[in-house]
Amino acid sequence: MNRILSAIVATGFGLAASAASAVTVNWADLTTLSGTTVTGAIGSVGVTAVAPGLSFAQVAGGTDYWVDLGYTQSVVNRPPGTDVIALNRAATNTITFSAPVKDVYLAFNSWNGNTVTFSAPFTIVSQGCGYWGCGTFVPNAGNTGFFGSGEVHGVLKFSGTYSSLSFNDSSENWHGYQIGIGTVPEPASWALLIAGFGMVGVAARRRRTVLAA
């Protein structure tokens, strides 16, 4: 019985760890542009991006700027399709989610010479070449901002739970971004893991009852 329980729990942990080992991002489907506000969704979660420095936004068709290696060094999937929010004037930009989400990912396109600060610290997931050339993120001391050295294309991760995220950028011809969130383990993995813990609890209670008797 103990061997069976151990196998169930180990399998549950293994499946959960396997799901977490590869960085797969759920990218937003941008659907509406109204003035300088872009809205869309990531699954059942609504996304609103208020971009006072908006140059343009592609919410249906257009050029696919999400090409090449800057998005896929450590990311399974680059942003799909052509959706992009493009900025060209210094401003405070705010991204709001309709429900709290865990781990926000932002993909960047051509942030050449930009100085950017965020409302939360980040880690660099990938960086390098893209549609317009190559470059790197040069983060500040607290990893709450970066300078775009060259035509940097890549992905930053903001770990934690967020209802909103904001950033300030500087003026430049145009530089684009797309919004994503982290994936969760498959429901079957969690169901198996929970079932395993439940069986362990039942076994522990039975053992205590036997010892008490």
Side-chain angles (χ1 to χ4, degrees), residues 66-212:
W66 305 110
V67 296
D68 236 318
L69 303 177
Y71 316 103
T72 55
Q73 291 172 343
S74 302
V75 178
V76 172
N77 58 322
R78 70 179 181 90
T82 60
D83 288 3
V84 66
I85 301 169
L87 313 170
N88 67 353
R89 299 184 305 280
T92 298
N93 303 271
T94 303
I95 302 163
T96 304
F97 302 97
S98 63
V101 297
K102 184 179 179 183
D103 297 342
V104 175
Y105 292 81
L106 296 182
F108 295 87
N109 184 290
S110 185
W111 287 62
N112 178 24
N114 257 263
T115 299
V116 190
T117 57
F118 297 93
S119 58
F122 61 82
T123 55
I124 298 172
V125 177
S126 64
Q127 61 184 332
C129 301
Y131 190 90
W132 298 109
C134 303
T136 56
F137 297 111
V138 181
N140 63 17
N143 272 39
T144 56
F146 71 83
F147 173 76
S149 176
E151 293 284 0
V152 60
H153 302 73
V155 178
L156 301 183
K157 176 184 179 182
F158 299 83
S159 300
T161 302
Y162 295 89
S163 295
S164 66
L165 182 70
S166 61
F167 65 90
N168 298 313
D169 62 334
S170 54
S171 298
E172 193 245 340
N173 185 27
W174 77 259
H175 41 283
Y177 76 98
Q178 174 59 303
I179 306 159
I181 61 175
T183 58
V184 296
E186 292 293 328
S189 301
W190 283 114
L192 183 58
L193 186 59
I194 291 169
F197 280 128
M199 293 181 69
V200 170
V202 170
R205 284 195 296 274
R206 286 177 178 171
R207 179 176 175 80
R208 284 196 299 271
T209 300
V210 170
L211 291 175

Side-chain angles (χ1 to χ4, degrees), residues 19-33:
S21 63
V23 178
T24 302
V25 180
N26 289 324
W27 297 107
D29 177 17
L30 305 177
T31 55
T32 306
L33 171 62

